[in-house]
């Protein structure tokens, strides 16, 4: 019987906690006041909160070592820009800009609608902004092209006169006029063509960009803020306007923490109320009100200490960390519920198991390539550790003082000695408020709680009945089938618009952009990284072959290349560029006529070409992940050393790492949890059941979150890592209680485990759900995602802890010797 029991760690640990419990019970005030002083000192770190805030979207929600960041570095070092010849196409970043989309449900290309757009454009350009006691306008900060601010293609075509639209035959996607080509697909949306030709019959949207210089960020940020205020107050009968700026998402994202501050106060009030109600007993002496209240208070102390310590240690505070307190309430209340009914030495081992698994799972998440995940896991992991420390010390001291009060038969509120029996001539109200009871002096035990009694007398026998076990198996099979189906329908990646609040003006802008400008995607740079003999016919074939491979991709629409244009120019002017000397001799003349192409060539000091680039226009008929990976793969297969890049690839890189990194983290965490279980649970077979429960819950959460509309991104990854630790809580406690039961029959063991832990597990689950319930009302996708996944984790963890695992454990009756 003892051959395979691994209690060599669990037994000494239990003895150690028993000794610790006696010491805390003998000096309760030390351990009550000490944590208060300690947490207050560490809480001073909150004075540094503003300095430690790190909510840069790129830094926190894109991989640290993403391939696109290396590609951007190469582009920036190789192809330098020029403020006097701005080119949106050649930006290595998103740029510094304001933009608006004007829409009309019928046709935006009418004199009335265009006149409204021209009026709005005039207001934006003439808007006066104050900076350092000086005023400036758009012309003072705009990005310039040949000495003038960048303009809009449509407005250029009609020459800023709305009436001219009736005399112009627009063609789409390109409009050619006076030896100049206008890419109308960038500014004209939802276009209807005339009789399947290229002539535009109508359109529903026009997009206008206002690009700014990047030499004075403070100044341009002021202009962008003024732009938002101006456009937000525009109203027109003919057009509807949505708008955004290059800083809008960052500014809107930074509003998210403030949107849940009031929710935290609601959550704390709910937690306190629930803890008091669930621990309230009619016995005015044995009621556990103070233990429950101190359990909630220890949460605040843990958060104060954990957050304060990391802020003092200069750790960045990311917005996702703001959800930690909502989830920490559950584990702490579980501790309070468990400890309220047992002595410290009886609860501390199971508390140690759950704390260790929760903390380890979170600390393993610190290896993530996403800053938001690292920060959350670090703050949550440290806070969980402080929860454990305060549960043993602060909460243990509260329990000791509460026990002393009970031993002296004092009222829970007034601390006055009260009779156990109702005095004669006393009212029932007096008996309910001022009389103790529910305590058997003979057995020296409190009366069993109603819910625990129901678990022992009704639920336990029902669950261990043969027919119930069969139903449980069918239930589990259905759960597993739906979960696996959901896993195969899981989408990857964080949609950037989800970082803004639901009521943000950005939502309308992104909706308009998706509705009217969805056909065309990124115009991707392709850099030729090696010196190349562009004049050599054979070498040209290699490069043209590479371009053909790009253009053969179903999501590539066309190519813009300086050397192809140069060849056309040479053929049109009868120039011979077949030798290096003639090629480099005539190239400067061509670049003078096409100044923008100068930015696409990197010359050496002796005017030789070190590197160059061309562009491929992509379509939205493939996923962003497939598009990026397809372009990179095509570049790798080319005989020429190529590199593909677009600023959006910085964010698209999450698609290439999120799945593999999540699976890797989960697998490592499951192995670590198995090792911990083997060490601390005195049964190897039950440790395997714990590992099984972890995997089962993860599969369920992953599958059902996909069906609930949640993608696998850095936000949900945080929750999946947390899921590992939380799912251990339920299965580990039940398994530990099962193998520790003195009963001999496996069904009786399961009933005994239900009687002892069914109610505390239910309390812990409900408290966690209540802790995050208010997040479902948040206007932020991030916090709603926290709620959804935590809800799934707790629901499925509870289902495993109170249904699946007890039934599966009873099946091991034939192997009773293992226990």
């Amino acid at each position: 019987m003892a051959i395979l029991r691994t209690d060599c760690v669990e037994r000494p640990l239990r003895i150690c906690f028993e000794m610790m419990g006696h010491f805390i019970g003998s000096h309760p005030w030390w351990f009550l006041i000490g944590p208060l002083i300690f947490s207050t000192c560490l809480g001073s770190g909150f004075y540094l909160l503003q300095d430690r805030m790190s909510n840069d979207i790129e830094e926190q929600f894109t991989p640290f070592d993403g391939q696109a960041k290396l590609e951007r570095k190469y582009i920036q070092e190789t192809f330098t820009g020029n403020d006097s010849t701005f080119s949106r196409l050649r930006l290595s970043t998103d740029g510094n800009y304001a933009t608006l989309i004007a829409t009309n449900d019928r046709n935006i290309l009418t004199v009335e609608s265009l006149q409204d757009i021209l009026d709005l454009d005039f207001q934006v350009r003439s808007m006066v902004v104050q900076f350092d006691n000086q005023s400036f306008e758009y012309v003072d900060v705009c990005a310039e092209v040949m000495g003038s601010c960048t303009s809009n293609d449509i407005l250029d075509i009609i020459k800023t006169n709305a009436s001219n639209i009736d005399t112009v035959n627009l063609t789409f996607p390109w409009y050619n006029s006076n030896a100049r080509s206008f890419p109308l697909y960038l500014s004209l949306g939802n276009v209807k063509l005339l009789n399947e030709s290229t002539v535009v019959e109508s359109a529903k949207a026009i997009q206008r960009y206002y690009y700014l210089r990047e030499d004075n960020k403070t100044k341009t940020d002021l202009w962008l803020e003024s732009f938002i205020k101006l456009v937000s107050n525009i109203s027109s009968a003919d057009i509807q306007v949505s708008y955004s700026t290059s800083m809008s998402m960052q500014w809107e994202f930074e509003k998210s923490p403030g949107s849940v501050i009031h929710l935290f106060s609601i959550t704390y009030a709910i937690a306190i109320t629930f803890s008091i109600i669930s621990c309230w007993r009619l016995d005015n002496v044995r009621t556990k009100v103070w233990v429950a209240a101190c359990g909630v208070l220890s949460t605040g102390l843990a958060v104060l200490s954990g957050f304060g310590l990391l802020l003092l240690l200069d750790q960045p505070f990311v917005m996702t960390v703001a959800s930690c307190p909502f989830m920490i309430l559950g584990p702490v209340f579980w501790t309070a519920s468990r400890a309220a009914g047992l002595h410290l030495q009886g609860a501390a081992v199971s508390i140690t198991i759950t704390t260790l698994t929760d903390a380890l799972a979170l600390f393993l998440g610190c290896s993530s390539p996403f800053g938001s995940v690292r920060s959350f896991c670090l703050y949550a992991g440290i806070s969980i550790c402080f929860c454990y420390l305060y549960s043993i010390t602060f909460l243990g001291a509260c329990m000791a003082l509460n026990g002393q009060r009970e031993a002296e038969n004092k009222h829970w509120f007034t601390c006055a000695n009260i009779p156990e029996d109702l005095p004669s001539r006393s009212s029932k109200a007096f008996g309910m408020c001022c009389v103790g009871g529910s305590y058997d002096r003979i057995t020296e035990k409190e009366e069993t709680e109603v819910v625990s009694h129901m678990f022992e007398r009704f639920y336990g026998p029902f669950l261990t009945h043969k027919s119930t076990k069969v139903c449980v198996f069918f239930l589990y099979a259905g759960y597993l089938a739906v979960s696996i189906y959901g896993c195969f329908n899981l989408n990857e990646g964080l949609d950037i618009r989800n970082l803004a609040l639901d009521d943000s003006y950005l939502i309308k802008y992104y909706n308009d952009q998706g509705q009217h400008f969805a056909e065309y995607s990124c115009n991707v740079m392709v850099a030729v990284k090696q010196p190349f003999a562009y004049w050599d016919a054979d070498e040209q074939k290699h490069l043209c072959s590479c371009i053909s491979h790009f253009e053969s991709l179903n999501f590539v629409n066309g190519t813009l290349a300086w050397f192809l244009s140069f060849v056309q120019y040479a053929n049109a002017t009868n120039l011979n560029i077949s030798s290096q000397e003639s090629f480099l001799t005539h190239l400067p003349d061509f670049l003078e006529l096409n100044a923008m192409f100068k930015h696409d060539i990197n010359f050496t000091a002796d005017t030789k070409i070190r590197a160059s680039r061309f562009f491929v226009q992509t379509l939205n008929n493939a996923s962003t992940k497939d598009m990026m990976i397809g372009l990179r793969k095509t570049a790798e297969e080319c005989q020429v050393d190529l590199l593909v890049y677009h600023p959006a690839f910085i964010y698209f890189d999450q698609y290439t790492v999120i799945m593999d990194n999540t699976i890797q983290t989960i697998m490592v965490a499951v192995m670590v949890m198995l090792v911990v279980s083997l060490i601390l649970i005195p049964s190897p077979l039950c440790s395997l059941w714990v590992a099984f429960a972890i995997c089962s819950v993860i599969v369920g959460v992953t599958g059902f979150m996909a069906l609930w509309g949640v993608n696998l991104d850095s936000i949900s990854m945080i929750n999946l890592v947390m899921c590992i630790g939380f799912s251990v809580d339920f299965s580990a406690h039940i398994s530990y209680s099962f193998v520790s039961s003195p009963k001999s029959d496996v069904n009786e063991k399961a009933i005994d485990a239900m009687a002892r832990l069914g109610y505390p597990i239910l309390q812990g689950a409900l408290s966690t759900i209540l802790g995050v319930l208010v997040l479902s009302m948040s206007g932020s996708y991030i916090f709603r995602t926290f709620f959804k996944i935590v809800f799934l984790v707790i629901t499925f963890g509870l289902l495993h802890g109170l249904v699946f695992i007890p039934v599966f454990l009873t099946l091991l009756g034939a192997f009773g010797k293992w226990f």
Side-chain angles (χ1 to χ4, degrees):
M1 179 175 178
I3 295 177
L4 291 177
R5 290 184 65 87
T6 56
D7 59 353
C8 55
V9 174
E10 182 264 348
R11 180 180 175 82
L13 191 63
R14 182 155 38 86
I15 295 173
C16 178
F17 280 120
E18 184 175 357
M19 296 172 60
M20 186 183 301
H22 285 304
F23 184 77
I24 293 174
S26 302
H27 309 84
W29 290 105
W30 293 4
F31 295 94
L32 186 71
I33 298 175
L36 291 173
I37 297 175
F38 185 54
S39 61
T40 301
C41 294
L42 291 178
S44 63
F46 275 87
Y47 286 107
L48 304 173
L49 181 60
Q50 289 300 321
D51 294 334
R52 302 291 187 264
M53 293 292 286
S54 179
N55 284 330
D56 182 84
I57 293 176
E58 180 184 316
E59 181 182 350
Q60 300 302 333
F61 293 96
T62 63
F64 284 123
D65 54 353
Q67 182 177 340
K69 293 182 179 179
L70 298 176
E71 294 165 350
R72 179 176 61 186
K73 182 179 179 181
Y74 173 84
I75 294 295
Q76 290 175 339
E77 293 175 349
T78 306
F79 304 101
T80 57
N82 190 323
D83 290 338
S84 63
T85 53
F86 171 82
S87 172
R88 170 188 174 186
L89 181 67
R90 293 162 176 83
L91 287 172
S92 60
T93 65
D94 290 331
N96 196 16
Y97 65 87
T99 181
L100 60 86
I101 298 177
T103 61
N104 185 303
D105 294 335
R106 296 180 299 277
N107 184 12
I108 197 74
L109 298 176
T110 63
V111 175
E112 294 78 14
S113 295
L114 288 174
Q115 187 58 54
D116 284 345
I117 295 174
L118 287 170
D119 292 342
L120 176 56
D121 179 67
F122 175 78
Q123 292 182 58
V124 172
R125 288 173 173 271
S126 59
M127 177 178 62
V128 178
V129 182
Q130 299 295 324
F131 175 70
D132 282 348
N133 298 322
Q134 295 181 347
S135 59
F136 66 94
E137 298 180 6
Y138 173 66
V139 69
D140 300 312
V141 292
C142 69
E144 296 181 348
V145 179
M146 308 303 291
S148 301
C149 295
T150 57
S151 59
N152 180 267
D153 292 337
I154 296 294
L155 303 187
D156 283 351
I157 292 171
I158 65 174
K159 299 178 181 179
T160 64
N161 186 338
S163 300
N164 289 342
I165 191 63
D166 294 330
T167 62
V168 175
N169 286 324
L170 295 178
T171 56
F172 189 87
W174 289 85
Y175 175 77
N176 299 305
S177 174
N178 298 326
R180 182 183 172 188
S181 296
F182 296 89
L184 290 190
Y185 63 88
L186 296 177
S187 55
L188 198 61
N190 219 324
V191 176
K192 181 180 179 182
L193 300 179
L194 185 63
N195 298 327
E196 298 182 357
S197 66
T198 61
V199 178
V200 176
E201 179 180 354
S202 65
K204 294 184 178 180
I206 290 177
Q207 183 159 16
R208 172 76 170 97
Y209 280 91
Y210 300 89
Y211 278 96
L212 312 178
R213 295 196 301 269
E214 300 185 43
D215 53 353
N216 190 330
K217 181 171 174 55
T218 303
K219 190 174 182 178
T220 54
D221 280 356
L222 284 174
W223 191 91
L224 294 177
E225 291 174 354
S226 300
F227 170 85
I228 293 172
K229 293 177 182 178
L230 172 67
V231 181
S232 63
N233 294 317
I234 293 295
S235 62
S236 171
D238 289 306
I239 61 173
Q240 297 80 46
V241 179
S242 59
Y243 52 94
S244 177
T245 74
S246 53
M247 291 298 298
S248 287
M249 181 55 71
Q250 184 64 48
W251 289 338
E252 291 297 291
F253 173 66
E254 290 171 357
K255 295 179 182 178
S256 296
S259 68
V260 297
I261 291 177
H262 69 288
L263 297 180
F264 183 71
S265 59
I266 297 174
T267 296
Y268 224 73
I270 292 174
I272 293 173
T273 303
F274 176 77
S275 63
I276 291 176
I277 292 175
S278 60
C279 290
W280 183 278
R281 301 182 185 180
L282 294 178
D283 186 342
N284 291 297
V285 174
R286 272 84 196 177
T287 185
K288 308 299 180 184
V289 172
W290 290 118
V291 175
C294 289
V296 178
L297 177 59
S298 65
T299 308
L301 297 179
V303 172
L304 186 67
S305 300
F307 284 27
L309 175 63
L310 292 173
L311 290 172
L312 289 171
L313 294 177
D314 199 22
Q315 291 298 317
F317 187 93
V318 184
M319 190 267 286
T320 51
V321 176
S323 61
C324 285
F326 296 92
M327 290 178 291
I328 293 173
L329 277 172
V332 173
F333 185 78
W334 155 260
T335 299
S337 303
R338 176 80 173 116
L342 298 171
H343 296 296
L344 178 62
Q345 61 268 28
V349 174
S350 56
I351 294 172
T352 301
I353 294 173
T354 55
T355 300
L356 191 57
T357 52
D358 287 345
L360 284 175
L362 289 167
F363 289 143
L364 285 171
C366 293
S367 62
S368 169
F370 298 95
S372 55
V373 178
R374 290 186 181 185
S375 185
F376 173 88
C377 290
L378 182 60
Y379 274 84
I382 294 296
S383 297
I384 289 289
C385 292
F386 274 106
C387 282
Y388 176 70
L389 175 64
Y390 292 151
S391 296
I392 300 298
T393 57
F394 180 79
L395 189 56
C398 293
M399 292 168 56
L401 292 172
N402 191 67
Q404 291 178 13
R405 180 190 57 78
E406 292 180 7
E408 296 172 3
N409 208 50
K410 293 183 177 180
H411 194 276
W412 71 272
F413 185 71
T414 64
C415 291
N417 288 314
I418 61 174
E420 293 187 19
D421 299 319
L422 182 65
S424 59
R425 301 180 182 179
S426 299
S427 65
K428 291 184 178 181
F430 176 84
M432 293 177 63
C433 298
C434 304
V435 177
S438 304
Y439 183 73
D440 193 328
R441 288 283 183 179
I442 299 175
T443 61
E444 296 186 350
K445 293 183 179 180
E446 300 176 21
E447 292 183 4
T448 305
E449 297 175 24
V450 176
V451 180
S452 297
H453 182 73
M454 292 179 61
F455 270 102
E456 182 178 11
R457 293 295 301 274
F458 301 103
Y459 180 73
F462 168 76
L463 188 65
T464 54
H465 193 275
K466 290 183 179 179
S467 58
T468 305
K469 292 181 182 180
V470 174
C471 293
V472 167
F473 269 101
F474 281 109
L475 176 64
Y476 182 76
Y479 158 82
L480 198 59
V482 176
S483 300
I484 292 174
Y485 170 78
C487 289
F488 282 102
N489 289 274
L490 181 65
N491 295 320
E492 301 174 51
L494 176 66
D495 188 342
I496 193 70
R497 77 182 67 189
N498 288 331
L499 295 179
L501 297 176
D502 293 344
D503 58 356
S504 171
Y505 60 87
L506 286 178
I507 302 302
K508 185 178 187 306
Y509 169 77
Y510 280 117
N511 289 340
D512 284 347
Q513 193 177 55
Q515 180 181 355
H516 301 294
F517 297 92
E519 181 179 358
Y520 292 88
S521 183
C522 306
N523 210 323
V524 179
M525 302 180 194
V526 182
V528 182
K529 299 174 64 178
Q530 67 186 60
F532 191 80
Y534 297 94
W535 50 86
D536 185 88
D538 293 331
E539 292 296 317
Q540 286 181 10
K541 289 181 181 179
H542 292 314
L543 194 53
C544 290
S545 175
C546 292
I547 294 176
S548 298
H549 288 156
F550 279 112
E551 293 180 338
S552 66
L553 298 173
N554 67 328
F555 51 80
V556 172
N557 178 252
T559 305
L560 174 65
W562 67 271
F563 48 86
L564 295 181
S565 296
F566 185 35
V567 170
Q568 294 175 357
Y569 167 79
N571 292 336
T573 55
N574 296 318
L575 296 177
N576 180 10
I577 55 173
S578 59
S579 66
Q580 179 178 359
E581 182 180 358
S582 60
F583 188 95
L584 295 177
T585 298
H586 296 296
L587 181 59
D589 296 332
F590 168 75
L591 295 179
E592 286 299 321
L593 296 174
N594 301 271
M596 287 300 178
F597 284 142
K598 292 181 180 180
H599 302 301
D600 297 335
I601 306 173
N602 178 274
F603 289 99
T604 62
D606 54 353
T607 66
K608 293 182 179 179
I609 300 176
R610 178 188 291 116
S612 71
R613 63 181 170 185
F614 59 93
F615 304 87
V616 292
Q617 176 65 57
T618 62
L619 301 173
N620 265 330
N621 58 0
S623 69
T624 52
K625 177 182 179 180
D626 292 339
M627 181 267 290
M628 182 179 68
I629 293 177
L631 291 174
R632 286 176 174 172
K633 183 178 180 181
T634 302
E636 290 175 359
E637 294 174 349
C638 183
Q639 297 181 19
V640 183
D641 187 10
L642 300 180
L643 173 150
V644 294
Y645 172 74
H646 187 274
F649 286 6
I650 299 292
Y651 300 94
F652 294 169
D653 263 341
Q654 62 176 308
Y655 299 109
T656 65
V657 300
I658 188 68
M659 181 66 76
D660 292 342
N661 186 259
T662 301
I663 294 175
Q664 178 183 341
T665 302
I666 289 176
M667 293 299 293
V668 173
V670 170
M671 294 303 297
V672 172
M673 299 305 108
L674 178 59
V675 172
V676 171
S677 300
L678 286 170
I679 294 174
L680 295 179
I681 297 179
S683 170
L685 204 54
C686 275
S687 298
L688 293 176
W689 278 113
V690 171
F692 159 79
I694 297 172
C695 297
S696 180
V697 171
I698 290 174
V699 171
V701 171
T702 305
F704 277 80
M705 82 177 194
L707 299 176
W708 205 349
V710 178
N711 290 0
L712 177 61
D713 51 39
S714 58
I715 306 300
S716 56
M717 181 184 177
I718 291 172
N719 293 272
L720 288 176
V721 171
M722 177 200 63
C723 166
I724 300 168
F726 275 29
S727 60
V728 173
D729 291 358
F730 304 101
S731 57
H733 284 301
I734 287 295
S735 298
Y736 180 77
S737 182
F738 182 89
V739 300
S740 301
S741 174
K743 307 291 184 179
S744 57
D745 182 75
V746 289
N747 286 334
E748 292 181 359
K749 281 177 175 286
I751 294 173
D752 188 44
M754 291 291 101
R756 287 193 289 169
L757 287 175
Y759 185 37
I761 285 178
L762 187 61
Q763 282 179 306
L766 289 176
S767 66
T768 304
I769 291 176
L770 288 174
V772 299
L773 183 63
V774 295
L775 291 181
S776 64
M777 300 181 291
S778 171
S780 169
Y781 163 85
I782 292 177
F783 292 110
R784 286 198 308 275
T785 299
F786 274 116
F787 160 73
K788 289 181 179 180
I789 301 185
V790 171
F791 178 83
L792 292 174
V793 170
I794 300 305
T795 300
F796 294 150
L798 185 66
L799 187 64
H800 280 73
L802 296 185
V803 181
F804 296 146
I805 296 300
V807 170
F808 294 160
L809 285 172
T810 61
L811 297 177
L812 302 176
F815 306 96
K817 62 181 181 179
W818 288 69
F819 301 103

